Amino acid sequence: MNLESTTRTHLPFGDKHDSPFYGRDIVSVRQFDEDDLDYIFEVAHEMQAMVARVGTFDLLKGKLLANLFYEPSTRTSSSFTAAMERLGGSVIPINEVRYSSVSKGESLPDTVRTLERYADVIVLRHPDVGASAEAARYASKPIINAGDGVGEHPTQALLDLFTIQEELDAVNGLTVTMVGDLKYGRTVHSLSRLLSKFDVALNLVSPEILRMPAEILEELAESGTPFSEHDALDPVIPATDVLYVTRVQKERFEKEAAYEAVKDAFVVTPATLEAAKKLMIVMHPLPRVNEISMEVDADPRAAYFRQMEYGMYVRMALLAMVLGKA
Ligand code: ASP
């Protein structure tokens, strides 16, 4: 079904090659200002409404996305696929670089220069910090960073912020508690940078060896964002509006014993939430291992499954925007 006529009358869709997002890479949350965020979220709302109304539509018909994943992924890769297909586009999935020419020794610049000959946009996940920025230097088509090692995960942070806004109606004035692996967790790196553009207070709760990197603490201080570091969760729960739980990133540890020592340092259970506000949310970028017990899932404050769905609308918005259709 072609709904272009419907979309034209109701939505800010159509060829928007003069849009500031057209042809742009999405490498770091640092590149967005508050107007950009408002715009992305406005388009994400339109996407949500369209999906509710018609499911799939033809905005990106004829466009191709290359999903290039050098690290495992369930949600990011499948939500980009779902986003592209709901917009009528198609996907070249390269989830197992082992079976691609990467295993023959092909470099990242050559791989992206190949894929951009076939596709209109490349979504890249790679174990090295800065890999997306490097790919973007070589590619002339947009590169979207889907996680660069322990660096950033900008589209996750955008969907996290969208989730907060949708669930709590505002971002300013909130107290956000991040707990778990703040050292290696790229989602909390991107999210704290993004939140530092707002009037929020951050509690950073982690084992000593998994503290938030100094570079990010400096950025928070420079932006005037109040933050405090903690090694216990319970004392900060009562004032928390958003509890953002992260997985201890096993794959980043050199020694298994070091991982074992901290892997269950923080586990959120129904008892943890007894002291929490009635109106607050628990988020997690997922996958979860043990850090939120399954009994929490039934609590209406558990927002992590809703969070994933918001992600598809945000990724639909980003794809439409960088391809000049929103
Ligand atoms: N899925 C998220 C990421 O790729 C979080 C995680 O793996 O723990 O960073």
Side-chain angles (χ1 to χ4, degrees):
M1 186 165 34
N2 186 333
L3 286 164
E4 287 221 320
S5 56
T6 319
T7 61
R8 217 172 284 131
T9 49
H10 295 286
L11 302 168
F13 295 156
D15 281 323
K16 295 270 183 334
H17 292 182
D18 54 345
S19 146
F21 284 90
Y22 174 55
R24 246 171 96 178
D25 305 301
I26 298 176
V27 168
S28 163
V29 291
R30 288 190 180 107
Q31 67 195 78
F32 301 117
D33 62 23
E34 283 193 45
D35 288 344
D36 294 331
L37 298 173
D38 285 346
Y39 189 57
I40 295 167
F41 294 169
E42 187 192 324
V43 179
H45 276 133
E46 303 291 354
M47 295 299 182
Q48 185 173 19
M50 283 300 278
V51 170
R53 204 155 78 214
V54 296
T56 298
F57 51 112
D58 280 347
L59 192 68
L60 295 185
K61 190 168 182 216
K63 298 287 182 194
L64 267 163
L65 157 76
N67 237 355
L68 176 60
F69 280 67
Y70 290 72
E71 283 191 335
S73 169
T74 301
R75 272 148 294 272
T76 307
S77 111
S78 59
S79 69
F80 267 112
T81 299
M84 196 62 186
E85 294 193 355
R86 285 200 178 268
L87 291 167
S90 312
V91 180
I92 304 172
I94 306 184
N95 296 324
E96 257 306 354
V97 288
R98 245 184 310 157
Y99 299 119
S100 74
S101 286
V102 170
S103 66
K104 301 181 190 168
E106 186 167 63
S107 69
L108 180 63
D110 283 2
T111 303
V112 297
R113 283 182 294 190
T114 302
L115 290 172
E116 72 170 353
R117 297 279 154 180
Y118 312 141
D120 302 290
V121 53
I122 298 173
V123 171
L124 173 67
R125 170 168 292 182
H126 194 281
D128 296 342
V129 174
S132 290
E134 186 194 10
R137 277 197 297 278
Y138 286 91
S140 53
K141 305 267 176 73
I143 298 284
I144 301 181
N145 181 1
D148 60 331
V150 301
E152 279 220 30
H153 195 344
T155 67
Q156 176 75 45
L158 291 169
L159 79 88
D160 291 341
L161 189 68
F162 188 66
T163 301
I164 296 172
Q165 199 161 288
E166 293 303 287
E167 296 271 325
L168 297 176
D169 278 338
V171 178
N172 287 324
L174 299 182
T175 296
V176 179
T177 298
M178 298 180 179
V179 58
D181 187 345
L182 308 185
K183 177 178 181 186
Y184 298 124
R186 56 193 169 202
T187 70
V188 281
H189 299 167
S190 287
L191 184 59
S192 26
R193 284 187 173 127
L194 205 52
L195 287 172
S196 73
K197 299 174 196 291
F198 294 83
D199 174 21
V200 297
L202 295 183
N203 294 316
L204 306 173
V205 184
S206 71
E208 176 64 27
I209 63 159
L210 297 178
R211 285 173 58 193
M212 186 68 90
E215 181 197 351
I216 293 179
L217 298 181
E218 277 159 29
E219 287 179 34
L220 290 174
E222 266 165 37
S223 68
T225 306
F227 70 87
S228 50
E229 295 186 270
H230 306 263
D231 57 11
L233 181 59
D234 288 341
V236 298
I237 284 288
T240 294
D241 299 297
V242 176
L243 178 61
Y244 193 98
V245 187
T246 64
R247 172 180 72 90
V248 177
Q249 310 278 297
K250 182 178 186 187
E251 65 276 28
R252 312 285 179 210
F253 283 72
E254 276 169 25
K255 296 199 178 96
E256 173 95 20
Y259 166 71
E260 292 292 328
V262 289
K263 70 175 188 186
D264 292 324
F266 297 100
V267 180
V268 175
T269 65
T272 320
L273 296 182
E274 268 170 28
K277 294 179 180 178
K278 289 273 166 289
L279 184 63
M280 57 84 72
I281 52 171
V282 182
M283 297 175 65
H284 192 309
L286 303 176
R288 132 178 87 180
V289 186
N290 272 330
E291 55 283 350
I292 303 180
S293 78
M294 280 181 72
E295 295 90 83
V296 175
D297 299 356
D299 190 310
R301 295 170 291 186
Y304 29 93
F305 294 113
R306 300 192 291 275
Q307 186 181 346
M308 283 187 283
E309 184 177 331
Y310 293 127
M312 184 178 77
Y313 306 131
V314 169
R315 288 174 173 140
M316 287 173 79
L318 295 172
L319 289 172
M321 289 162 78
V322 299
L323 291 171
K325 292 287 184 179

